[in-house]
Amino acid sequence: MKRIAVLTSGGDAPGMNAAIRAVVRTGLDKGWDVFGIRHGYVGLMAGNIVPLRARDASGIIHRGGTILGSARSAEFKTEDGRLKALRTLHEHELEALIVIGGGGSQIGAYELSHMDFPVVGVASTIDNDLYGSEITIGVDTALHVALEAIDRLKVTASSHQRAFLVEVMGRDCGYLALITGITGGAEAIVMPEIETDPEALASELRASYERGKAHALVVVAEGAQYNAAELSRYFQEHRERLGFELRVTILGHVQRGGVPGPFDRLLATRLGAAATEHLARGQHGLLVGLLKGEIAATPLAEVVANKKPLDLRLLELARVLAQ
Ligand code: F6P
């Protein structure tokens, strides 16, 4: 009999519940006891642990967010915090932990596994910035939410011949902005991976009107050198000279609250199941993710030491398609 626990940590992502469900049901299928830790590492340090049975995972596959709750914890980043967490795991006689979360959460997973506790990570963040998975749980749904907003904004932008600026999430990563911009037909994309010159942006937008476009849409990543607030301020200050103003929409957490689509439900289900399979084989200190379309495991040490590259060729494609 194995006693394993699962937690969700960091920003919630649509599909986390499907991953929890997969961990619970595949764990029970092996005859294990499965426990849920509430509110991420905060709950782990506080010993906030509940047993999860088959019915506890009923009716959750289609729900966004996480039934276990999530949190960001400054205390867990300290050695004292991690020792506290380790104590809880031992006190509850837990033998392994599955951490569903993104970059920060997987650093925590790595630290625990470094302290000789068996941990497997499940790649989950809407930012898609995690090394070890070409796409993470929640990205596809977050893109759907952002696109729906953009499609709607384009309708009203065209009616008024206006320029719109839409800021999407992504922390320091421009992936959400890049994909939303390409698939939403944006005139320009502003992201942290490239330098932004507001004057050049203004020229691009003016040029698109001159080519006969009815609107101009800019997708901006929140982590860009100039985010939505800064661009808006710049355009406001130079309004007369630039000749037009920008309407700004910041999508923010709306992107995290979507109902997980089939892609995220399936990805989360496969990753959750793969995590328990690794534990069953005695393999840990790993992150499970999707690589070249297949479920694959990467050592957590490698995950935390590397930055996932972004394919900037897509940006050039976006520029060509915006003609
Ligand atoms: O990591 C996911 C994410 O949504 C980022 O895109 C964003 O920068 C951050 O979390 C927001 O964090 P919080 O929900 O703590 O404000």
mmCIF file with all atom_site columns, all heavy atoms in Angstrom, residues 35-50 84-89 91-92 94:
data_model
loop_
_atom_site.group_PDB
_atom_site.id
_atom_site.type_symbol
_atom_site.label_atom_id
_atom_site.label_alt_id
_atom_site.label_comp_id
_atom_site.label_asym_id
_atom_site.label_entity_id
_atom_site.label_seq_id
_atom_site.pdbx_PDB_ins_code
_atom_site.Cartn_x
_atom_site.Cartn_y
_atom_site.Cartn_z
_atom_site.occupancy
_atom_site.B_iso_or_equiv
_atom_site.pdbx_formal_charge
_atom_site.auth_seq_id
_atom_site.auth_comp_id
_atom_site.auth_asym_id
_atom_site.auth_atom_id
_atom_site.pdbx_PDB_model_num
ATOM 1   N N   . PHE A 1 35 ? -4.322  11.327 -0.989 1.00 0.00 ? 35 PHE A N   1
ATOM 2   C CA  . PHE A 1 35 ? -4.692  12.473 -0.155 1.00 0.00 ? 35 PHE A CA  1
ATOM 3   C C   . PHE A 1 35 ? -4.548  13.760 -0.957 1.00 0.00 ? 35 PHE A C   1
ATOM 4   O O   . PHE A 1 35 ? -3.679  13.871 -1.821 1.00 0.00 ? 35 PHE A O   1
ATOM 5   C CB  . PHE A 1 35 ? -3.792  12.536 1.088  1.00 0.00 ? 35 PHE A CB  1
ATOM 6   C CG  . PHE A 1 35 ? -3.980  11.352 1.997  1.00 0.00 ? 35 PHE A CG  1
ATOM 7   C CD1 . PHE A 1 35 ? -3.277  10.173 1.750  1.00 0.00 ? 35 PHE A CD1 1
ATOM 8   C CD2 . PHE A 1 35 ? -4.868  11.394 3.055  1.00 0.00 ? 35 PHE A CD2 1
ATOM 9   C CE1 . PHE A 1 35 ? -3.464  9.058  2.566  1.00 0.00 ? 35 PHE A CE1 1
ATOM 10  C CE2 . PHE A 1 35 ? -5.060  10.280 3.875  1.00 0.00 ? 35 PHE A CE2 1
ATOM 11  C CZ  . PHE A 1 35 ? -4.355  9.114  3.624  1.00 0.00 ? 35 PHE A CZ  1
ATOM 12  N N   . GLY A 1 36 ? -5.391  14.715 -0.634 1.00 0.00 ? 36 GLY A N   1
ATOM 13  C CA  . GLY A 1 36 ? -5.302  16.026 -1.277 1.00 0.00 ? 36 GLY A CA  1
ATOM 14  C C   . GLY A 1 36 ? -4.773  17.034 -0.253 1.00 0.00 ? 36 GLY A C   1
ATOM 15  O O   . GLY A 1 36 ? -5.181  17.014 0.917  1.00 0.00 ? 36 GLY A O   1
ATOM 16  N N   . ILE A 1 37 ? -3.860  17.868 -0.688 1.00 0.00 ? 37 ILE A N   1
ATOM 17  C CA  . ILE A 1 37 ? -3.352  18.933 0.181  1.00 0.00 ? 37 ILE A CA  1
ATOM 18  C C   . ILE A 1 37 ? -4.004  20.224 -0.266 1.00 0.00 ? 37 ILE A C   1
ATOM 19  O O   . ILE A 1 37 ? -3.947  20.581 -1.451 1.00 0.00 ? 37 ILE A O   1
ATOM 20  C CB  . ILE A 1 37 ? -1.814  19.021 0.080  1.00 0.00 ? 37 ILE A CB  1
ATOM 21  C CG1 . ILE A 1 37 ? -1.212  17.710 0.596  1.00 0.00 ? 37 ILE A CG1 1
ATOM 22  C CG2 . ILE A 1 37 ? -1.280  20.226 0.856  1.00 0.00 ? 37 ILE A CG2 1
ATOM 23  C CD1 . ILE A 1 37 ? 0.243   17.529 0.295  1.00 0.00 ? 37 ILE A CD1 1
ATOM 24  N N   . ARG A 1 38 ? -4.656  20.894 0.675  1.00 0.00 ? 38 ARG A N   1
ATOM 25  C CA  . ARG A 1 38 ? -5.411  22.089 0.300  1.00 0.00 ? 38 ARG A CA  1
ATOM 26  C C   . ARG A 1 38 ? -4.511  23.323 0.260  1.00 0.00 ? 38 ARG A C   1
ATOM 27  O O   . ARG A 1 38 ? -3.614  23.476 1.076  1.00 0.00 ? 38 ARG A O   1
ATOM 28  C CB  . ARG A 1 38 ? -6.584  22.297 1.267  1.00 0.00 ? 38 ARG A CB  1
ATOM 29  C CG  . ARG A 1 38 ? -7.538  21.086 1.265  1.00 0.00 ? 38 ARG A CG  1
ATOM 30  C CD  . ARG A 1 38 ? -8.824  21.380 1.984  1.00 0.00 ? 38 ARG A CD  1
ATOM 31  N NE  . ARG A 1 38 ? -9.452  22.568 1.471  1.00 0.00 ? 38 ARG A NE  1
ATOM 32  C CZ  . ARG A 1 38 ? -10.163 22.646 0.340  1.00 0.00 ? 38 ARG A CZ  1
ATOM 33  N NH1 . ARG A 1 38 ? -10.340 21.576 -0.380 1.00 0.00 ? 38 ARG A NH1 1
ATOM 34  N NH2 . ARG A 1 38 ? -10.698 23.778 -0.037 1.00 0.00 ? 38 ARG A NH2 1
ATOM 35  N N   . HIS A 1 39 ? -4.743  24.178 -0.755 1.00 0.00 ? 39 HIS A N   1
ATOM 36  C CA  . HIS A 1 39 ? -4.024  25.458 -0.912 1.00 0.00 ? 39 HIS A CA  1
ATOM 37  C C   . HIS A 1 39 ? -2.512  25.318 -1.043 1.00 0.00 ? 39 HIS A C   1
ATOM 38  O O   . HIS A 1 39 ? -1.744  26.017 -0.375 1.00 0.00 ? 39 HIS A O   1
ATOM 39  C CB  . HIS A 1 39 ? -4.396  26.418 0.224  1.00 0.00 ? 39 HIS A CB  1
ATOM 40  C CG  . HIS A 1 39 ? -5.877  26.587 0.359  1.00 0.00 ? 39 HIS A CG  1
ATOM 41  N ND1 . HIS A 1 39 ? -6.643  27.105 -0.664 1.00 0.00 ? 39 HIS A ND1 1
ATOM 42  C CD2 . HIS A 1 39 ? -6.737  26.245 1.345  1.00 0.00 ? 39 HIS A CD2 1
ATOM 43  C CE1 . HIS A 1 39 ? -7.904  27.096 -0.302 1.00 0.00 ? 39 HIS A CE1 1
ATOM 44  N NE2 . HIS A 1 39 ? -8.001  26.573 0.898  1.00 0.00 ? 39 HIS A NE2 1
ATOM 45  N N   . GLY A 1 40 ? -2.097  24.401 -1.867 1.00 0.00 ? 40 GLY A N   1
ATOM 46  C CA  . GLY A 1 40 ? -0.693  24.302 -2.265 1.00 0.00 ? 40 GLY A CA  1
ATOM 47  C C   . GLY A 1 40 ? 0.275   24.105 -1.109 1.00 0.00 ? 40 GLY A C   1
ATOM 48  O O   . GLY A 1 40 ? -0.012  23.410 -0.134 1.00 0.00 ? 40 GLY A O   1
ATOM 49  N N   . TYR A 1 41 ? 1.432   24.751 -1.251 1.00 0.00 ? 41 TYR A N   1
ATOM 50  C CA  . TYR A 1 41 ? 2.483   24.567 -0.238 1.00 0.00 ? 41 TYR A CA  1
ATOM 51  C C   . TYR A 1 41 ? 2.085   25.182 1.113  1.00 0.00 ? 41 TYR A C   1
ATOM 52  O O   . TYR A 1 41 ? 2.580   24.759 2.152  1.00 0.00 ? 41 TYR A O   1
ATOM 53  C CB  . TYR A 1 41 ? 3.796   25.175 -0.729 1.00 0.00 ? 41 TYR A CB  1
ATOM 54  C CG  . TYR A 1 41 ? 4.393   24.427 -1.910 1.00 0.00 ? 41 TYR A CG  1
ATOM 55  C CD1 . TYR A 1 41 ? 4.613   25.048 -3.133 1.00 0.00 ? 41 TYR A CD1 1
ATOM 56  C CD2 . TYR A 1 41 ? 4.723   23.085 -1.794 1.00 0.00 ? 41 TYR A CD2 1
ATOM 57  C CE1 . TYR A 1 41 ? 5.160   24.360 -4.207 1.00 0.00 ? 41 TYR A CE1 1
ATOM 58  C CE2 . TYR A 1 41 ? 5.279   22.373 -2.864 1.00 0.00 ? 41 TYR A CE2 1
ATOM 59  C CZ  . TYR A 1 41 ? 5.493   23.028 -4.071 1.00 0.00 ? 41 TYR A CZ  1
ATOM 60  O OH  . TYR A 1 41 ? 6.028   22.338 -5.121 1.00 0.00 ? 41 TYR A OH  1
ATOM 61  N N   . VAL A 1 42 ? 1.175   26.157 1.098  1.00 0.00 ? 42 VAL A N   1
ATOM 62  C CA  . VAL A 1 42 ? 0.689   26.744 2.357  1.00 0.00 ? 42 VAL A CA  1
ATOM 63  C C   . VAL A 1 42 ? -0.003  25.659 3.170  1.00 0.00 ? 42 VAL A C   1
ATOM 64  O O   . VAL A 1 42 ? 0.254   25.466 4.371  1.00 0.00 ? 42 VAL A O   1
ATOM 65  C CB  . VAL A 1 42 ? -0.281  27.925 2.083  1.00 0.00 ? 42 VAL A CB  1
ATOM 66  C CG1 . VAL A 1 42 ? -0.933  28.414 3.363  1.00 0.00 ? 42 VAL A CG1 1
ATOM 67  C CG2 . VAL A 1 42 ? 0.454   29.066 1.384  1.00 0.00 ? 42 VAL A CG2 1
ATOM 68  N N   . GLY A 1 43 ? -0.861  24.890 2.497  1.00 0.00 ? 43 GLY A N   1
ATOM 69  C CA  . GLY A 1 43 ? -1.582  23.794 3.163  1.00 0.00 ? 43 GLY A CA  1
ATOM 70  C C   . GLY A 1 43 ? -0.639  22.675 3.563  1.00 0.00 ? 43 GLY A C   1
ATOM 71  O O   . GLY A 1 43 ? -0.845  22.012 4.584  1.00 0.00 ? 43 GLY A O   1
ATOM 72  N N   . LEU A 1 44 ? 0.392   22.471 2.757  1.00 0.00 ? 44 LEU A N   1
ATOM 73  C CA  . LEU A 1 44 ? 1.354   21.408 3.085  1.00 0.00 ? 44 LEU A CA  1
ATOM 74  C C   . LEU A 1 44 ? 2.082   21.763 4.382  1.00 0.00 ? 44 LEU A C   1
ATOM 75  O O   . LEU A 1 44 ? 2.237   20.927 5.278  1.00 0.00 ? 44 LEU A O   1
ATOM 76  C CB  . LEU A 1 44 ? 2.345   21.235 1.925  1.00 0.00 ? 44 LEU A CB  1
ATOM 77  C CG  . LEU A 1 44 ? 3.446   20.192 2.118  1.00 0.00 ? 44 LEU A CG  1
ATOM 78  C CD1 . LEU A 1 44 ? 2.856   18.812 2.409  1.00 0.00 ? 44 LEU A CD1 1
ATOM 79  C CD2 . LEU A 1 44 ? 4.330   20.112 0.877  1.00 0.00 ? 44 LEU A CD2 1
ATOM 80  N N   . MET A 1 45 ? 2.520   23.012 4.504  1.00 0.00 ? 45 MET A N   1
ATOM 81  C CA  . MET A 1 45 ? 3.228   23.422 5.724  1.00 0.00 ? 45 MET A CA  1
ATOM 82  C C   . MET A 1 45 ? 2.298   23.356 6.945  1.00 0.00 ? 45 MET A C   1
ATOM 83  O O   . MET A 1 45 ? 2.735   23.043 8.040  1.00 0.00 ? 45 MET A O   1
ATOM 84  C CB  . MET A 1 45 ? 3.792   24.842 5.554  1.00 0.00 ? 45 MET A CB  1
ATOM 85  C CG  . MET A 1 45 ? 4.972   24.889 4.593  1.00 0.00 ? 45 MET A CG  1
ATOM 86  S SD  . MET A 1 45 ? 5.648   26.546 4.427  1.00 0.00 ? 45 MET A SD  1
ATOM 87  C CE  . MET A 1 45 ? 4.298   27.429 3.685  1.00 0.00 ? 45 MET A CE  1
ATOM 88  N N   . ALA A 1 46 ? 0.994   23.630 6.705  1.00 0.00 ? 46 ALA A N   1
ATOM 89  C CA  . ALA A 1 46 ? 0.047   23.678 7.827  1.00 0.00 ? 46 ALA A CA  1
ATOM 90  C C   . ALA A 1 46 ? -0.592  22.317 8.110  1.00 0.00 ? 46 ALA A C   1
ATOM 91  O O   . ALA A 1 46 ? -1.374  22.174 9.053  1.00 0.00 ? 46 ALA A O   1
ATOM 92  C CB  . ALA A 1 46 ? -1.044  24.702 7.516  1.00 0.00 ? 46 ALA A CB  1
ATOM 93  N N   . GLY A 1 47 ? -0.310  21.332 7.274  1.00 0.00 ? 47 GLY A N   1
ATOM 94  C CA  . GLY A 1 47 ? -0.896  19.995 7.485  1.00 0.00 ? 47 GLY A CA  1
ATOM 95  C C   . GLY A 1 47 ? -2.369  19.940 7.106  1.00 0.00 ? 47 GLY A C   1
ATOM 96  O O   . GLY A 1 47 ? -3.140  19.174 7.687  1.00 0.00 ? 47 GLY A O   1
ATOM 97  N N   . ASN A 1 48 ? -2.753  20.768 6.122  1.00 0.00 ? 48 ASN A N   1
ATOM 98  C CA  . ASN A 1 48 ? -4.154  20.800 5.686  1.00 0.00 ? 48 ASN A CA  1
ATOM 99  C C   . ASN A 1 48 ? -4.377  19.713 4.621  1.00 0.00 ? 48 ASN A C   1
ATOM 100 O O   . ASN A 1 48 ? -4.314  19.964 3.423  1.00 0.00 ? 48 ASN A O   1
ATOM 101 C CB  . ASN A 1 48 ? -4.437  22.209 5.126  1.00 0.00 ? 48 ASN A CB  1
ATOM 102 C CG  . ASN A 1 48 ? -5.907  22.473 4.949  1.00 0.00 ? 48 ASN A CG  1
ATOM 103 O OD1 . ASN A 1 48 ? -6.726  21.545 5.017  1.00 0.00 ? 48 ASN A OD1 1
ATOM 104 N ND2 . ASN A 1 48 ? -6.255  23.723 4.710  1.00 0.00 ? 48 ASN A ND2 1
ATOM 105 N N   . ILE A 1 49 ? -4.633  18.494 5.111  1.00 0.00 ? 49 ILE A N   1
ATOM 106 C CA  . ILE A 1 49 ? -4.640  17.319 4.225  1.00 0.00 ? 49 ILE A CA  1
ATOM 107 C C   . ILE A 1 49 ? -5.946  16.551 4.383  1.00 0.00 ? 49 ILE A C   1
ATOM 108 O O   . ILE A 1 49 ? -6.404  16.330 5.505  1.00 0.00 ? 49 ILE A O   1
ATOM 109 C CB  . ILE A 1 49 ? -3.431  16.415 4.573  1.00 0.00 ? 49 ILE A CB  1
ATOM 110 C CG1 . ILE A 1 49 ? -2.143  17.202 4.337  1.00 0.00 ? 49 ILE A CG1 1
ATOM 111 C CG2 . ILE A 1 49 ? -3.443  15.114 3.761  1.00 0.00 ? 49 ILE A CG2 1
ATOM 112 C CD1 . ILE A 1 49 ? -0.879  16.466 4.670  1.00 0.00 ? 49 ILE A CD1 1
ATOM 113 N N   . VAL A 1 50 ? -6.527  16.179 3.242  1.00 0.00 ? 50 VAL A N   1
ATOM 114 C CA  . VAL A 1 50 ? -7.801  15.425 3.293  1.00 0.00 ? 50 VAL A CA  1
ATOM 115 C C   . VAL A 1 50 ? -7.688  14.172 2.432  1.00 0.00 ? 50 VAL A C   1
ATOM 116 O O   . VAL A 1 50 ? -7.012  14.186 1.404  1.00 0.00 ? 50 VAL A O   1
ATOM 117 C CB  . VAL A 1 50 ? -8.989  16.284 2.768  1.00 0.00 ? 50 VAL A CB  1
ATOM 118 C CG1 . VAL A 1 50 ? -9.320  17.412 3.717  1.00 0.00 ? 50 VAL A CG1 1
ATOM 119 C CG2 . VAL A 1 50 ? -8.707  16.832 1.368  1.00 0.00 ? 50 VAL A CG2 1
ATOM 120 N N   . LYS A 1 84 ? 9.313   22.462 7.377  1.00 0.00 ? 84 LYS A N   1
ATOM 121 C CA  . LYS A 1 84 ? 7.966   22.313 7.937  1.00 0.00 ? 84 LYS A CA  1
ATOM 122 C C   . LYS A 1 84 ? 7.134   21.386 7.034  1.00 0.00 ? 84 LYS A C   1
ATOM 123 O O   . LYS A 1 84 ? 6.435   20.480 7.496  1.00 0.00 ? 84 LYS A O   1
ATOM 124 C CB  . LYS A 1 84 ? 7.304   23.701 7.980  1.00 0.00 ? 84 LYS A CB  1
ATOM 125 C CG  . LYS A 1 84 ? 6.550   23.997 9.255  1.00 0.00 ? 84 LYS A CG  1
ATOM 126 C CD  . LYS A 1 84 ? 5.756   25.265 9.079  1.00 0.00 ? 84 LYS A CD  1
ATOM 127 C CE  . LYS A 1 84 ? 6.265   26.397 9.937  1.00 0.00 ? 84 LYS A CE  1
ATOM 128 N NZ  . LYS A 1 84 ? 5.432   27.605 9.813  1.00 0.00 ? 84 LYS A NZ  1
ATOM 129 N N   . ALA A 1 85 ? 7.240   21.630 5.727  1.00 0.00 ? 85 ALA A N   1
ATOM 130 C CA  . ALA A 1 85 ? 6.489   20.818 4.756  1.00 0.00 ? 85 ALA A CA  1
ATOM 131 C C   . ALA A 1 85 ? 6.917   19.359 4.836  1.00 0.00 ? 85 ALA A C   1
ATOM 132 O O   . ALA A 1 85 ? 6.079   18.445 4.831  1.00 0.00 ? 85 ALA A O   1
ATOM 133 C CB  . ALA A 1 85 ? 6.730   21.356 3.345  1.00 0.00 ? 85 ALA A CB  1
ATOM 134 N N   . LEU A 1 86 ? 8.199   19.150 4.936  1.00 0.00 ? 86 LEU A N   1
ATOM 135 C CA  . LEU A 1 86 ? 8.733   17.794 5.004  1.00 0.00 ? 86 LEU A CA  1
ATOM 136 C C   . LEU A 1 86 ? 8.219   17.080 6.255  1.00 0.00 ? 86 LEU A C   1
ATOM 137 O O   . LEU A 1 86 ? 7.862   15.897 6.223  1.00 0.00 ? 86 LEU A O   1
ATOM 138 C CB  . LEU A 1 86 ? 10.266  17.874 5.028  1.00 0.00 ? 86 LEU A CB  1
ATOM 139 C CG  . LEU A 1 86 ? 11.028  16.689 4.472  1.00 0.00 ? 86 LEU A CG  1
ATOM 140 C CD1 . LEU A 1 86 ? 10.633  16.380 3.042  1.00 0.00 ? 86 LEU A CD1 1
ATOM 141 C CD2 . LEU A 1 86 ? 12.543  16.980 4.530  1.00 0.00 ? 86 LEU A CD2 1
ATOM 142 N N   . ARG A 1 87 ? 8.155   17.846 7.352  1.00 0.00 ? 87 ARG A N   1
ATOM 143 C CA  . ARG A 1 87 ? 7.649   17.269 8.618  1.00 0.00 ? 87 ARG A CA  1
ATOM 144 C C   . ARG A 1 87 ? 6.212   16.798 8.436  1.00 0.00 ? 87 ARG A C   1
ATOM 145 O O   . ARG A 1 87 ? 5.857   15.692 8.838  1.00 0.00 ? 87 ARG A O   1
ATOM 146 C CB  . ARG A 1 87 ? 7.715   18.328 9.727  1.00 0.00 ? 87 ARG A CB  1
ATOM 147 C CG  . ARG A 1 87 ? 8.761   17.977 10.774 1.00 0.00 ? 87 ARG A CG  1
ATOM 148 C CD  . ARG A 1 87 ? 8.670   18.791 12.048 1.00 0.00 ? 87 ARG A CD  1
ATOM 149 N NE  . ARG A 1 87 ? 8.319   20.181 11.932 1.00 0.00 ? 87 ARG A NE  1
ATOM 150 C CZ  . ARG A 1 87 ? 9.200   21.180 11.738 1.00 0.00 ? 87 ARG A CZ  1
ATOM 151 N NH1 . ARG A 1 87 ? 10.482  20.915 11.601 1.00 0.00 ? 87 ARG A NH1 1
ATOM 152 N NH2 . ARG A 1 87 ? 8.800   22.432 11.678 1.00 0.00 ? 87 ARG A NH2 1
ATOM 153 N N   . THR A 1 88 ? 5.393   17.641 7.795  1.00 0.00 ? 88 THR A N   1
ATOM 154 C CA  . THR A 1 88 ? 3.995   17.251 7.576  1.00 0.00 ? 88 THR A CA  1
ATOM 155 C C   . THR A 1 88 ? 3.923   15.962 6.778  1.00 0.00 ? 88 THR A C   1
ATOM 156 O O   . THR A 1 88 ? 3.153   15.061 7.111  1.00 0.00 ? 88 THR A O   1
ATOM 157 C CB  . THR A 1 88 ? 3.239   18.335 6.759  1.00 0.00 ? 88 THR A CB  1
ATOM 158 O OG1 . THR A 1 88 ? 3.436   19.582 7.369  1.00 0.00 ? 88 THR A OG1 1
ATOM 159 C CG2 . THR A 1 88 ? 1.777   18.032 6.622  1.00 0.00 ? 88 THR A CG2 1
ATOM 160 N N   . LEU A 1 89 ? 4.721   15.885 5.720  1.00 0.00 ? 89 LEU A N   1
ATOM 161 C CA  . LEU A 1 89 ? 4.670   14.697 4.857  1.00 0.00 ? 89 LEU A CA  1
ATOM 162 C C   . LEU A 1 89 ? 5.008   13.445 5.670  1.00 0.00 ? 89 LEU A C   1
ATOM 163 O O   . LEU A 1 89 ? 4.338   12.415 5.540  1.00 0.00 ? 89 LEU A O   1
ATOM 164 C CB  . LEU A 1 89 ? 5.632   14.863 3.674  1.00 0.00 ? 89 LEU A CB  1
ATOM 165 C CG  . LEU A 1 89 ? 5.212   15.909 2.639  1.00 0.00 ? 89 LEU A CG  1
ATOM 166 C CD1 . LEU A 1 89 ? 6.385   16.316 1.743  1.00 0.00 ? 89 LEU A CD1 1
ATOM 167 C CD2 . LEU A 1 89 ? 4.056   15.396 1.779  1.00 0.00 ? 89 LEU A CD2 1
ATOM 168 N N   . GLU A 1 91 ? 4.849   13.149 9.051  1.00 0.00 ? 91 GLU A N   1
ATOM 169 C CA  . GLU A 1 91 ? 3.830   12.930 10.102 1.00 0.00 ? 91 GLU A CA  1
ATOM 170 C C   . GLU A 1 91 ? 2.606   12.200 9.559  1.00 0.00 ? 91 GLU A C   1
ATOM 171 O O   . GLU A 1 91 ? 2.001   11.396 10.250 1.00 0.00 ? 91 GLU A O   1
ATOM 172 C CB  . GLU A 1 91 ? 3.381   14.283 10.689 1.00 0.00 ? 91 GLU A CB  1
ATOM 173 C CG  . GLU A 1 91 ? 4.286   14.788 11.793 1.00 0.00 ? 91 GLU A CG  1
ATOM 174 C CD  . GLU A 1 91 ? 4.048   16.266 12.120 1.00 0.00 ? 91 GLU A CD  1
ATOM 175 O OE1 . GLU A 1 91 ? 2.990   16.830 11.700 1.00 0.00 ? 91 GLU A OE1 1
ATOM 176 O OE2 . GLU A 1 91 ? 4.930   16.842 12.752 1.00 0.00 ? 91 GLU A OE2 1
ATOM 177 N N   . HIS A 1 92 ? 2.249   12.499 8.310  1.00 0.00 ? 92 HIS A N   1
ATOM 178 C CA  . HIS A 1 92 ? 1.066   11.848 7.718  1.00 0.00 ? 92 HIS A CA  1
ATOM 179 C C   . HIS A 1 92 ? 1.445   10.555 6.995  1.00 0.00 ? 92 HIS A C   1
ATOM 180 O O   . HIS A 1 92 ? 0.626   9.999  6.258  1.00 0.00 ? 92 HIS A O   1
ATOM 181 C CB  . HIS A 1 92 ? 0.350   12.805 6.755  1.00 0.00 ? 92 HIS A CB  1
ATOM 182 C CG  . HIS A 1 92 ? -0.408  13.887 7.454  1.00 0.00 ? 92 HIS A CG  1
ATOM 183 N ND1 . HIS A 1 92 ? 0.219   14.973 8.037  1.00 0.00 ? 92 HIS A ND1 1
ATOM 184 C CD2 . HIS A 1 92 ? -1.728  14.035 7.708  1.00 0.00 ? 92 HIS A CD2 1
ATOM 185 C CE1 . HIS A 1 92 ? -0.684  15.750 8.599  1.00 0.00 ? 92 HIS A CE1 1
ATOM 186 N NE2 . HIS A 1 92 ? -1.881  15.198 8.420  1.00 0.00 ? 92 HIS A NE2 1
ATOM 187 N N   . LEU A 1 94 ? 3.127   10.010 4.458  1.00 0.00 ? 94 LEU A N   1
ATOM 188 C CA  . LEU A 1 94 ? 2.969   10.066 3.004  1.00 0.00 ? 94 LEU A CA  1
ATOM 189 C C   . LEU A 1 94 ? 4.284   9.635  2.368  1.00 0.00 ? 94 LEU A C   1
ATOM 190 O O   . LEU A 1 94 ? 5.362   9.944  2.871  1.00 0.00 ? 94 LEU A O   1
ATOM 191 C CB  . LEU A 1 94 ? 2.580   11.483 2.581  1.00 0.00 ? 94 LEU A CB  1
ATOM 192 C CG  . LEU A 1 94 ? 1.174   11.871 3.037  1.00 0.00 ? 94 LEU A CG  1
ATOM 193 C CD1 . LEU A 1 94 ? 0.958   13.368 2.994  1.00 0.00 ? 94 LEU A CD1 1
ATOM 194 C CD2 . LEU A 1 94 ? 0.124   11.145 2.195  1.00 0.00 ? 94 LEU A CD2 1
#
